Amino acid sequence: MALTHPAGMSEPEPPQGDDNGRVTPAMAQYVEIKAANPDCLLFYRMGDFYEMFFEDAEVASRALGIVLTKRGKYLGRDVPLCGVPVVRADEYLHKLIALGHRVAVCEQLEDPAEAKKRGAKSVVRRDVVRLVTPGTLTEDTLLDSRRNNYLLAVARARLSSVGEEAHFALAWIDISTGEFRITECDRPSLSAEIARLEPSEIIVSDALYADAELAPYWRELTAVTPLTRDVFDFATAERRLTSFFAVATSEAFGSLTRLELTAAAACVTYVERTQLGQRPPLSPPLRETASATVAIDQATRGNLELMRTLSGERRGSLLDAIDRTVTSAGSRLLAQRLSAPLTDPNAINRRLDAVASFVDDVTARADTRSRLQAAPDLARALARLAVGRGGPRDLAAIRDGILAAADLARALGSLKETPEDIAAALRSCQRPDGMLAAELAAALAAELPAYKRDGGFVREGYDAALDETRALRDESRRVVAALQARYAEETGVRALKIRHNNVLGYFVEVTAQHGDRLMAAPLNATFIHRQTLAGQVRFTTTELGELEAKIASSADRALGLELDIFERLAASVIAQGEEIKECAGALASLDVSSALAHLAAERGYARPQVDDSHDFVIEGGRHPVVEQALARDGTPFVANDCDLSPPRDGEAGRIWLITGPNMAGKSTFLRQNALIAILAQMGTFVPAKSAQIGVVDRLFSRVGAADDLARGRSTFMVEMVETAAILNQAGASSLVILDEIGRGTATFDGLSIAWATVEHLHDVNKCRALFATHFHELTALAARLDRLHNATVKVKEWKGDVVFLHEVIAGSADHSYGIQVAKLAGLPASVIERARLVLAKLEQEDRAKPKGFEDLPLFATPYKAPQEMPDNALELVIAAVAALNPDEMSPREAMEALYALKQKLATAAKK
Ligand code: ADP
Ligand code: MG
């Protein structure tokens, strides 16, 4: 796409040097501004365009797919240039930010005419007014309305002794909503916290960025910005933070540690630097205690597909499956709650009470949801107004939000029962001053332009001075029309028109054939030639010039008055910032509660019982995402029970070991139980007939042999690293989901690791756990581990095929049905037949050293597998089993006994 400048644009002068290599003042200005912002692409305002020069132009033209041109020379070389029109700047900014660039926006700070007054050669004053970075956006066009956009600062404590554990403080803000939080964590939790917050941008000190241990991790993340040491300076942190909030001491925020102060101060300093003086309406920093929310590490989040699927999409995630909110702010709050389920049963039950009251009261729910639909995104509109990037529609959003909130509070005031959370929300809905909404309603016109500079947003009759100026402007426009008629008459050119463009202003236009007449006496005394085009000739007249000046000045004056009104209204909005933010939060929470109630009613979810025991009893549980996916095809989901509660009087929970063929539904069962725990603890109803859950403090979920090629680690290594994390961290309140651990290595290795892992979970971690495995050998462990329960997924064999019933029952799978599954998958019949043959043969052999395969004829008449074992083989095996005493065996002995049994079977069969 070629971007060219409109012809005749007088300003701006390109910042070029001349051919002698001398640097013009314009060039000097550009170079100076660029030097101050070396790590940003510089959007350099020139008239209606933002131009980029030199390397910036090369980078941007490639990134945006726009044409790279040249203009002038600098130090003897061509200057590469590209530009984007100001009116479409957001679109291009969006692309650049998404690609990880940072952009410095440099504006003209005066009218070019002003500069000219200082001398013909003088340069228009310009400076950077804002740095656009991924973590500091406010525009709707640049943001996803349903997601928070966090900037995260990470500060690390200086280690005082060798071997001391690293300790971090995290501070994060969303300048588009004003949220500001702080927490502390250790190294293992650092990546879990970052995975939870999914910040758009992370700031760290240069030193932390270069840290040998962390550097590879930073590089994996998107948009980590290293900053100079002063931003993370301990000594000045408190002063910077208190001065941002204009408070006397940081005690106003509760007692923050020095490290927390450092991270929080880094955030506000970065905001000040990027916003250059504009103040987003940040709330004072609020501390989050790590133990208040369930610890869920990055692998588990990915694995359970909480916020997005493994392939990175929202569709198919748990969030997508449960999101019935009707506002963007509600959607953001829902995502926050889902990513940080609570651990305090009281807090959980307060949320559940709110959901329950909307489940019970169908009318209140429907009413609330329809009223909320009319509630705009108050928080983001407020943030834009506060940083000076708001428009008339943001004022309207504030007006409509405040009115909707007040209406809602009135409507819900008549609820039979009002749970604590809803009562608090209703109070907050009434906080903003009703006069503000009334004032906005009186001031704003019915149709609003996107930008305040477009004018026309103030309602007629609101401001007398404005009405008068507008009348003058409109009157002058009528005079122009009259003038056109008079000129047509006087010249006899009926097609004479008075037109307007940005270059010439108002002008008289006639077709080429009439041009000569106007240029000859006597008409040339009135009509002054301006321009000859291919088909038209253009003129001006003294009268038209005067009229134009009058129109322009009254239009300017009208716009000026409107902008004054805008600023006054914006200021009264900002003065109510705290109340508006609180109201926005209340609307979001009402949206979330009613939406979750809607979901519960729609899908038949039940209220979970949450307490601080170690219980875990799910009756008729379903997988919330799979269930909805199957429902779309009309397939029912088979509900299943699960009970991981400690045996009577015990503290340690049970482990369920689930065997069964591929495709039986093992993974689905595992995940649905983890998801039910998450939903219960985020404070919502769950897809089950009933659920009783003792709060989970940490949740782990792992799948064997997960692919992690991007990080260049062997899949097995990843599996083991992740398993190690669980065995080292899980405690009695944790819930562990292990799916096919040990799959990534040779059978015996894998089996042994799985074996030892189950034992460790049982004896050391003592946590509640679900373990799906294809190692049938593990089921023998149940004889020795008293809290281990064998479960399997029922299948039916039918005419050589396998039918999956998806029903989880006690017991263990008899065999793995791999070949039947392969048949279902459509492997060629010859391959299936061949596989049956090999299997039959293998089952007779010692698996470790298969032999006799040289004799297995390829594509010969199928080998008939013996239908039955020789009688004496079975007897031998039965006798051997009877002789075993599993309670006294070590795992190793048990394994050896197993192999011996197989050996016996094999040798017996050969006889
Ligand atoms: P496994 O882990 O045993 O190989 P999965 O859990 O991946 O099996 O399930 C395979 C497929 O079976 C799923 O994609 C789903 O469509 C279906 N399925 C699983 N569990 C159920 C269930 N309880 N009810 C209905 N369909 C199910
Ligand atoms: Mg599976």
Side-chain angles (χ1 to χ4, degrees):
M1 181 185 45
L3 293 166
T4 49
H5 295 269
M9 218 171 69
S10 48
E11 179 12 56
E13 68 296 355
Q16 62 188 23
D18 61 20
D19 282 343
N20 306 326
R22 275 193 307 255
V23 177
T24 62
M27 191 71 220
Q29 183 193 43
Y30 174 85
V31 169
E32 188 189 330
I33 295 175
K34 176 65 199 176
N37 298 280
D39 52 352
C40 295
L41 295 173
L42 183 59
F43 266 35
Y44 191 74
R45 179 73 181 261
M46 296 178 76
D48 293 334
F49 280 73
Y50 288 117
E51 303 283 18
M52 280 159 283
F53 298 96
F54 302 108
E55 216 188 311
D56 285 3
E58 282 159 11
V59 171
S61 73
R62 237 176 291 130
L64 299 174
I66 56 176
V67 170
L68 185 67
T69 55
K70 305 187 278 242
R71 168 115 49 96
K73 290 197 187 288
Y74 178 63
L75 304 179
R77 300 238 299 277
D78 288 339
V79 177
L81 154 103
C82 70
V84 302
V86 169
V87 286
R88 292 181 57 199
D90 276 2
E91 196 181 311
Y92 291 105
L93 274 174
H94 187 91
K95 273 197 199 164
L96 290 170
I97 299 301
L99 290 167
H101 294 289
R102 297 150 53 79
V103 177
V105 181
C106 173
E107 293 291 352
Q108 295 173 182
L109 300 183
E110 63 181 351
D111 203 273
E114 284 296 307
K116 289 250 161 58
K117 287 187 197 152
R118 290 196 303 271
K121 285 255 164 187
S122 63
V123 184
V124 176
R125 257 203 301 275
R126 290 190 178 80
D127 208 350
V128 171
V129 296
R130 176 185 177 203
L131 301 181
V132 187
T133 77
T136 56
L137 303 173
T138 49
E139 287 86 340
D140 265 350
T141 43
L142 302 181
L143 290 167
D144 179 345
S145 64
R146 294 192 297 180
R147 286 190 53 192
N148 271 109
N149 191 58
Y150 289 129
L151 167 74
L152 171 72
V154 181
R156 182 175 59 182
R158 239 176 273 147
L159 301 182
S160 49
S161 65
V162 186
E164 191 188 332
E165 287 287 322
H167 193 66
F168 300 86
L170 308 183
W172 62 99
I173 56 176
D174 182 341
I175 75 166
S176 68
T177 62
E179 283 152 90
F180 193 168
R181 303 278 158 82
I182 329 177
T183 194
E184 292 204 2
C185 68
D186 55 12
R187 175 66 187 91
S189 316
L190 177 65
S191 39
E193 284 295 74
I194 292 178
R196 163 167 80 100
L197 298 169
E198 302 190 309
S200 300
E201 184 173 7
I202 300 177
I203 52 174
V204 295
S205 67
D206 282 331
L208 191 56
Y209 189 69
D211 179 80
E213 199 244 328
L214 284 162
Y217 175 58
W218 298 136
R219 247 172 280 132
E220 262 172 44
L221 298 166
T222 45
V224 180
T225 310
L227 298 172
T228 47
R229 190 167 300 244
D230 53 323
V231 181
F232 286 87
D233 179 31
F234 272 118
T236 56
E238 176 163 17
R239 188 178 46 71
R240 283 180 287 140
L241 194 63
T242 50
S243 92
F244 185 93
F245 284 102
V247 293
T249 126
S250 68
E251 274 157 37
F253 315 128
S255 57
L256 300 183
T257 64
R258 262 162 56 95
L259 197 58
E260 286 171 331
L261 282 174
T262 306
C267 276
V268 299
T269 302
Y270 192 63
V271 167
E272 281 177 333
R273 290 202 182 164
T274 53
Q275 306 305 302
L276 301 156
Q278 303 284 9
R279 288 270 158 111
L282 288 187
S283 303
L286 199 73
R287 174 189 276 123
E288 277 192 5
T289 329
S291 63
T293 57
V294 184
I296 310 174
D297 60 28
Q298 188 170 6
T300 302
R301 282 175 193 281
N303 215 274
L304 293 175
E305 305 191 307
L306 298 184
M307 316 306 277
R308 67 184 56 79
T309 61
L310 288 171
S311 52
E313 286 150 47
R314 191 183 199 266
R315 220 186 125 78
S317 67
L318 178 61
L319 176 61
D320 188 49
I322 64 167
D323 190 354
R324 300 288 186 279
T325 57
V326 294
T327 68
S328 322
S331 196
R332 295 196 296 269
L333 181 64
L334 182 75
Q336 275 180 26
R337 289 199 183 170
L338 179 59
S339 66
L342 305 176
T343 53
D344 172 16
N346 293 327
I348 294 168
N349 278 309
R350 271 201 304 277
R351 288 187 186 173
L352 283 169
D353 288 342
V355 176
S357 78
F358 279 122
V359 169
D360 296 343
D361 194 334
V362 184
T363 334
R365 179 169 83 227
D367 190 32
T368 304
R369 285 167 63 73
S370 76
R371 283 170 196 279
L372 281 168
Q373 251 148 16
D377 203 334
L378 273 176
R380 285 196 167 162
L382 171 69
R384 277 190 295 274
L385 289 166
V387 294
R389 290 196 281 277
R393 291 177 191 170
D394 291 315
L395 291 178
I398 301 284
R399 171 197 65 197
D400 298 343
I402 294 177
L403 291 175
D407 277 355
L408 195 58
R410 226 167 295 128
L412 290 183
S414 58
L415 273 187
K416 282 165 246 128
E417 253 174 275
T418 312
E420 205 176 317
D421 274 13
I422 295 185
L426 296 182
R427 279 193 301 277
S428 301
C429 279
Q430 293 162 303
R431 286 285 312 276
D433 185 355
M435 295 299 288
L436 176 61
E439 178 75 10
L440 289 169
L444 295 172
E447 297 278 322
L448 297 173
Y451 302 100
K452 57 185 177 194
R453 62 166 185 259
D454 295 337
F457 52 85
V458 175
R459 187 188 291 277
E460 242 186 84
Y462 174 71
D463 185 278
L466 176 63
D467 288 347
E468 205 173 296
T469 321
R470 276 178 176 165
L472 217 64
R473 178 194 66 191
D474 299 341
E475 174 57 27
S476 312
R477 285 190 179 141
R478 265 194 298 282
V479 177
V480 169
L483 191 64
Q484 173 175 308
R486 204 178 86 215
Y487 282 162
E489 172 112 346
E490 283 175 13
T491 58
V493 180
R494 255 190 297 146
L496 180 147
K497 287 269 177 312
I498 295 182
R499 294 184 182 281
H500 182 269
N501 73 22
N502 285 331
V503 180
L504 296 182
Y506 282 95
F507 55 85
V508 173
E509 184 175 280
V510 296
T511 50
Q513 64 191 97
H514 297 115
D516 289 347
R517 178 122 63 96
L518 269 65
M519 281 189 272
L523 290 177
N524 66 356
T526 312
F527 294 93
I528 307 153
H529 177 256
R530 287 297 307 268
Q531 204 177 30
T532 302
L533 305 177
Q536 293 91 24
V537 188
R538 292 167 173 177
F539 302 85
T540 187
T541 68
T542 324
E543 214 177 346
L544 190 58
E546 280 164 7
L547 201 53
E548 171 164 17
K550 229 162 110 190
I551 292 172
S553 75
S554 58
D556 272 1
R557 223 155 355 107
L559 183 61
L561 287 172
E562 282 204 77
L563 293 178
D564 289 346
I565 293 171
F566 184 92
E567 293 315 322
R568 189 162 52 69
L569 294 171
S572 37
V573 167
I574 295 162
Q576 285 265 308
E578 276 314 306
E579 289 82 359
I580 291 172
K581 256 193 301 178
E582 200 182 310
C583 175
L587 289 174
S589 95
L590 290 170
D591 189 12
V592 168
S593 302
S594 56
L596 288 172
H598 183 74
L599 172 77
E602 169 197 305
R603 306 230 58 95
Y605 285 11
R607 176 171 181 155
Q609 266 180 46
V610 183
D611 56 28
D612 47 21
S613 69
H614 289 159
D615 286 349
F616 195 94
V617 191
I618 311 295
E619 217 192 320
R622 283 120 53 200
H623 191 297
V625 182
V626 175
E627 179 186 34
Q628 287 185 36
L630 291 181
R632 280 192 280 274
D633 313 333
T635 315
F637 188 90
V638 180
N640 279 303
D641 301 345
C642 179
D643 184 356
L644 304 176
S645 305
R648 194 189 298 270
D649 299 333
E651 271 295 294
R654 279 180 222 271
I655 302 176
W656 274 28
L657 187 77
I658 297 128
T659 47
N662 264 322
M663 290 300 287
K666 300 184 297 297
S667 302
T668 307
F669 179 68
L670 257 55
R671 285 184 175 77
Q672 84 189 26
N673 287 298
L675 298 183
I676 286 172
I678 289 182
L679 290 172
Q681 291 188 225
M682 74 174 273
T684 183
F685 285 28
V686 297
K689 228 160 89 202
S690 76
Q692 190 187 328
I693 296 174
V695 284
V696 170
D697 67 345
R698 285 170 172 273
L699 177 68
F700 295 95
S701 171
R702 294 293 185 276
V703 182
D707 256 320
D708 196 8
L709 296 175
R711 281 204 279 180
R713 286 205 246 163
S714 104
T715 55
F716 179 62
M717 182 66 184
V718 173
E719 191 181 321
M720 288 302 106
V721 166
E722 293 183 353
T723 309
I726 298 179
L727 297 180
N728 290 328
Q729 294 175 50
S733 296
S734 306
L735 176 63
V736 173
I737 305 293
L738 290 173
D739 195 353
E740 310 265 15
I741 287 300
R743 190 165 58 176
T745 182
T747 313
F748 288 159
D749 288 4
L751 172 57
S752 330
I753 291 168
W755 186 288
T757 300
V758 173
E759 286 180 337
H760 194 277
L761 289 173
H762 186 274
D763 295 341
V764 181
N765 303 103
K766 297 188 156 78
C767 55
R768 293 162 285 183
L770 288 158
F771 196 117
T773 184
H774 63 288
F775 295 124
H776 297 242
E777 295 85 342
L778 287 179
T779 54
L781 272 169
R784 204 172 57 77
L785 305 179
D786 60 347
R787 283 175 288 104
L788 188 71
H789 169 81
N790 282 332
T792 185
V793 193
K794 216 159 131 189
V795 291
K796 208 164 65 183
E797 254 192 294
W798 192 69
K799 290 187 182 163
D801 283 342
V802 55
V803 181
F804 300 110
L805 301 176
H806 305 304
E807 191 186 329
V808 178
I809 51 168
S812 52
D814 39 5
H815 60 287
S816 57
Y817 301 93
I819 293 176
Q820 285 92 330
V821 174
K823 188 177 163 198
L824 278 182
L827 248 62
S830 61
V831 174
I832 297 292
E833 212 34 60
R834 178 71 179 159
R836 283 195 207 282
L837 212 59
V838 175
L839 177 66
K841 180 94 178 136
L842 271 174
E843 283 180 341
Q844 298 169 22
E845 296 285 333
D846 175 355
R847 272 221 233 167
K849 294 195 199 68
K851 51 181 189 283
F853 278 81
E854 343 41 275
D855 313 334
L856 199 64
L858 272 175
F859 304 110
T861 11
Y863 171 89
K864 282 274 172 263
Q867 293 305 299
E868 283 170 7
M869 289 284 173
D871 286 346
N872 90 322
L874 275 180
E875 274 166 28
L876 277 175
V877 173
I878 291 167
V881 172
L884 294 179
N885 186 352
D887 287 343
E888 285 169 10
M889 291 166 98
S890 71
R892 193 195 158 100
E893 285 163 351
M895 289 291 290
E896 278 166 359
L898 262 176
Y899 296 141
L901 282 175
K902 296 226 68 142
Q903 181 76 33
K904 276 206 175 66
L905 267 176
T907 38
K910 257 191 291 183
K911 280 180 194 152

